[in-house]
């Protein structure tokens, strides 16, 4: 069983409700996982909390 299976994931506030491209994020101490909401079993991208913060800061500047 994955250590992420008990972690609640939430859909991005930027994801639409029409079945388009949607991502979900889940948090563990010091880590953030990102997955495809349409196919959550297909895998995760796991980032350190600092890498996640950097990603969000870069996206906010775009």
């Amino acid at each position: 069983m994955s250590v992420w299976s008990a972690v609640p994931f939430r859909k991005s506030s930027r994801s639409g409700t029409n079945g388009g491209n949607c991502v979900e994020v889940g948090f563990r101490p010091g880590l953030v996982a990102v997955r495809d909401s349409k196919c959550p079993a297909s895998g995760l991208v796991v980032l350190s909390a600092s890498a996640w913060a950097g990603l969000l800061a870069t996206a906010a500047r775009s």
Side-chain angles (χ1 to χ4, degrees):
M1 180 188 316
S2 167
V3 297
W4 292 96
S5 61
V7 172
F9 278 76
R10 64 179 181 88
K11 188 182 282 192
S12 166
S13 62
R14 298 286 186 178
S15 295
T17 58
N18 61 357
N21 297 324
C22 303
V23 296
E24 295 178 323
V25 294
F27 300 91
R28 289 180 49 93
L31 298 171
V32 179
V34 182
R35 69 184 184 186
D36 182 344
S37 65
K38 295 179 303 308
C39 191
S42 66
L44 303 169
V45 174
V46 180
L47 304 166
S48 68
S50 61
W52 177 250
L55 177 83
L56 293 181
T58 300
R61 289 191 301 260
S62 297

